Amino acid sequence: MRMSLDACHEEERRAPDVEAAILGLARDEPGLGQAAVSARLRRDGFAISPSGVRYIWQKHGLETAVKRLRAIAQSTSEGVSALTDTQRGLLARGALAAQLVSADAATDGEPPDRRQVILDAAAALFAEQGYDSTSIRDIASRVGLLPGSIYHYFASKEELYLAVHREGFRRLMAAVADALAGASDPWERLTRVCQVHVAAITSGTYIDRVTGHSLAMTGNPELFAKIRPMREAYENVYRGLIEDLPLAPGADRSLLRLMLLSFLNWVHVWYREGRRSTDEIAAAMVDTLRHGVESPGIASKPLSAF
């Protein structure tokens, strides 16, 4: 009886250690399944079954790899950027699968909105791999459908790409309209629109990001020509805003617009979350254009001096 009591005390002592070990692996290797975690811990001297691992996972809301990845992202200031490319892909696929499941489970008789799910998946792959490197099979695999099912909603990959842009520009124009509401100062109006753009291409959805990047796309002239009308409608917003600015006589407003859009479209390349906010970056860009960077009182050298 004495040995049994000692064994019970030892089990009670080790239980918190087992739980901590399971949670540690959930953080360090979130892709491991319950059987693999059980085997790993048994090698380390912990007596835990696969069902015991799952019990601990469920206790902490970590019973799927997607939930474990979300927990990691939420626990760091870097967010999803803290995950590896493979882990981000798994997280994206899990989110899309959840959309399909929830849509299929609807009880109101409405068909699932698979078209939107496909659009989201296509935008993610276009952003990650580029248009040319993404196939219909890739998109179908991302959402758990057969390739032929994609053609039920979109006639071709090109049509999917154009549909992503139509949706993206629709969202962008709506966000711009909201941002401009109530603003009358021309510099404030320009700043607000730039803030919308920078936020969309750095931290928006994949549809937002692909749409923003298209303003500088040069790799596929034929496809770019089909996007051009949507692009022009959006750039017309900037034309109007810059036309309203009180600029110095002789200022080239067209060049100013192109320079500003170039600045904005490159932010996604170097932006890192945690330093300046996207609003601060956009405001600083507009302020630099407005006031310049030369120190007051320093006269410019004549060209003949160089």
Side-chain angles (χ1 to χ4, degrees):
M1 179 65 70
R2 177 65 179 173
M3 289 181 62
S4 297
L5 288 173
D6 287 344
C8 288
H9 288 314
E10 177 65 14
E11 184 66 24
E12 290 173 358
R13 185 184 69 79
R14 290 175 62 82
D17 298 333
V18 174
E19 184 165 345
I22 292 171
L23 295 178
L25 281 176
R27 179 187 62 250
D28 298 336
E29 299 190 58
L32 291 180
Q34 61 193 45
V37 171
S38 172
R40 177 78 64 83
L41 294 181
R42 282 178 177 276
R43 287 198 301 271
D44 293 340
F46 294 102
I48 184 72
S49 66
S51 60
V53 171
R54 184 167 183 78
Y55 168 77
I56 298 299
W57 281 349
Q58 289 175 327
K59 177 180 175 182
H60 293 274
L62 302 171
E63 62 270 21
T64 67
V66 169
K67 288 184 177 182
R68 295 192 287 277
L69 290 170
R70 284 176 181 160
I72 294 171
Q74 292 168 0
S75 68
T76 68
S77 59
E78 296 175 286
V80 176
S81 298
L83 304 178
T84 66
D85 291 342
T86 299
Q87 288 172 342
R88 284 196 294 271
L90 177 59
L91 190 59
R93 289 193 294 275
L96 289 167
Q99 290 181 44
L100 283 171
V101 170
S102 62
D104 286 334
T107 58
D108 57 5
E110 291 294 322
D113 189 8
R114 284 188 173 156
R115 187 180 187 280
Q116 186 61 54
V117 173
I118 293 168
L119 270 183
D120 291 337
L125 287 167
F126 291 146
E128 294 168 3
Q129 303 176 178
Y131 175 79
D132 291 331
S133 298
T134 299
S135 67
I136 289 291
R137 185 175 295 278
D138 292 333
I139 297 167
S141 177
R142 176 70 62 104
V143 296
L145 296 174
L146 294 173
S149 299
I150 303 295
Y151 294 112
H152 176 72
Y153 298 93
F154 300 96
S156 64
K157 183 176 75 168
E158 179 180 289
E159 174 54 32
L160 240 176
Y161 194 75
L162 295 175
V164 166
H165 282 79
R166 282 192 291 271
E167 174 66 12
F169 277 113
R170 182 193 66 77
R171 296 181 188 180
L172 199 53
M173 295 294 274
V176 163
D178 288 343
L180 291 176
S184 57
D185 178 78
W187 287 104
E188 173 65 18
R189 287 167 63 82
L190 180 62
T191 298
R192 290 190 183 189
V193 172
C194 291
Q195 288 172 333
V196 167
H197 188 92
V198 173
I201 66 173
T202 57
S203 54
T205 67
Y206 282 116
I207 289 178
D208 298 327
R209 297 180 197 184
V210 171
T211 301
H213 299 170
S214 77
L215 297 179
M217 188 185 77
T218 57
N220 192 318
E222 294 80 11
L223 197 55
F224 184 60
K226 295 180 180 180
I227 295 170
R228 185 179 295 278
M230 293 178 269
R231 175 182 180 268
E232 285 294 320
Y234 180 64
E235 284 201 35
N236 281 339
V237 173
Y238 285 86
R239 286 187 176 92
L241 291 170
I242 290 175
E243 189 63 34
D244 292 339
L245 295 176
L247 300 181
D252 190 327
R253 295 176 187 267
S254 178
L255 184 59
L256 181 64
R257 171 180 54 82
L258 294 172
M259 184 168 59
L260 178 58
L261 285 171
S262 297
F263 287 172
L264 296 174
N265 288 328
W266 276 97
V267 174
H268 78 279
V269 174
W270 49 260
Y271 173 73
R272 296 294 181 271
E273 188 176 0
R275 297 181 182 178
R276 285 188 173 188
S277 70
T278 56
D279 281 356
E280 290 171 340
I281 290 170
M285 286 182 168
V286 174
D287 191 62
T288 299
L289 288 176
R290 182 179 185 180
H291 299 294
V293 294
E294 186 178 52
S295 177
I298 299 180
S300 298
K301 293 182 179 180
L303 291 176
S304 58
F306 290 90

